[in-house]
Amino acid sequence: VQLQASGGGLVQPGGSLRLSCTASGTIFGINDMAWYRQAPGNQRDLVALITKSGSTNYGDSGKGRFTISRDNTKNTVYLQMNSLKPEDTAVYYCYADIRKSASNNYFAQTWGRGTLVTVSS
């Protein structure tokens, strides 16, 4: 099972980007999905989290300009980022609690490799 993120890149201040992250492999269920980010020299912080039922929780960095959503039929989580600022520059990581076995109800904390977002003119 792996998480593959895409959608990062270079964008000018004030611009928008939409990140996607899809879980693939043998999956028996996914609970929470989330986006974190880590800028050079900083710790990894929560941007936004969404539960299986669609409830959302935003970290300080994600409030107001970012929107998290998911498509359970595609095992995919999205992050719509608007009005981007240079301080949003970071590697963005997706995260999911994934059930990988039919023989138990354990949901493993699973991380993607990250996608770089650079906000610069």
Side-chain angles (χ1 to χ4, degrees):
V1 174
Q2 64 176 357
L3 291 170
Q4 182 64 50
S6 62
L10 175 64
V11 62
Q12 292 186 342
S16 297
L17 279 177
R18 188 192 195 207
L19 305 183
S20 300
C21 178
T22 299
S24 61
T26 303
I27 297 171
F28 293 90
I30 301 177
N31 281 348
D32 293 348
M33 303 185 83
W35 289 96
Y36 287 75
R37 74 183 189 185
Q38 187 170 20
N42 290 357
Q43 66 182 15
R44 190 175 297 187
D45 291 327
L46 174 69
V47 177
L49 178 146
I50 185 166
T51 67
K52 185 177 181 178
S53 62
S55 298
T56 58
N57 181 36
Y58 290 88
D60 289 341
S61 61
K63 291 178 181 177
R65 297 179 292 120
F66 296 177
T67 303
I68 190 171
S69 60
R70 66 190 282 176
D71 185 336
N72 292 333
T73 65
K74 297 180 180 179
N75 292 337
T76 299
V77 61
Y78 305 97
L79 185 68
Q80 178 67 43
M81 305 186 292
N82 298 326
S83 302
L84 284 162
K85 304 175 182 180
E87 51 263 44
D88 294 317
T89 296
V91 177
Y92 285 71
Y93 296 91
C94 61
Y95 165 94
D97 290 328
I98 300 177
R99 182 184 174 193
K100 303 178 182 180
S101 173
S103 62
N104 60 58
N105 199 36
Y106 175 70
F107 285 76
Q109 298 177 351
T110 308
W111 290 91
R113 288 190 175 184
T115 184
L116 177 63
V117 172
T118 303
V119 184
S120 175
S121 55

